Amino acid sequence: QVQLQESGPGLVKPSQTLSLTCTVSGGSITSGYAYWNWIRQPPGKGLEWMGAMQAIGGVYYSPSLKCRTSISRDTSKNQFTLQLSSVTPEDTAIYYCARSSLLKTTSGIREYGDWGQGTQVTVSS
């Protein structure tokens, strides 16, 4: 059974870089056809897909965030990371990592099989 856990600072100052790590257990982040995603949910809003690292190494970003987003991985630690630069209070959200088999279905819907518990990140001075 795959388990994911987010970690990182819960408070980030405006203009700084948000950095989170997702630690995966029960499966290798390099195996299969899996995508390892970062998703966030601002207060009162829906889930927003940010980007993903594919098991074979490809990286994909949301068009709205790609200029500020970087996803990387450390295969020796079975971890993948999120960096979001130049943050503002609008980036305050619960941040999740999750596994999926596809980036989107043919209907354009994103589906995730395994989730981390999420971690609250607040951007504030």
Side-chain angles (χ1 to χ4, degrees), residues 20-89:
L20 297 173
T21 297
C22 183
T23 301
V24 178
S25 61
S28 173
I29 61 172
T30 64
S31 66
Y33 292 96
Y35 294 83
W36 303 93
N37 304 265
W38 286 103
I39 308 102
R40 68 179 183 179
Q41 186 169 32
K45 301 177 118 179
L47 297 171
E48 178 185 21
W49 179 78
M50 303 181 69
M53 170 73 74
Q54 194 177 12
I56 61 173
V59 183
Y60 307 86
Y61 298 109
S62 168
S64 63
L65 295 170
K66 64 180 180 180
C67 292
R68 299 194 291 130
T69 306
S70 179
I71 297 173
S72 59
R73 67 182 179 181
D74 185 338
T75 58
S76 68
K77 297 179 180 179
N78 215 38
Q79 297 176 330
F80 62 104
T81 63
L82 169 72
Q83 292 190 322
L84 182 67
S85 65
S86 303
V87 298
T88 73

Side-chain angles (χ1 to χ4, degrees), residues 47 94 123:
L47 297 171
I94 301 174
V123 180

Side-chain angles (χ1 to χ4, degrees), residues 37 39 48-52 60-63 100 102-105 107-112 115:
N37 304 265
I39 308 102
E48 178 185 21
W49 179 78
M50 303 181 69
Y60 307 86
Y61 298 109
S62 168
S100 66
L102 301 168
L103 289 179
K104 289 182 177 180
T105 69
S107 299
I109 299 171
R110 300 188 187 276
E111 298 178 341
Y112 309 98
W115 293 76

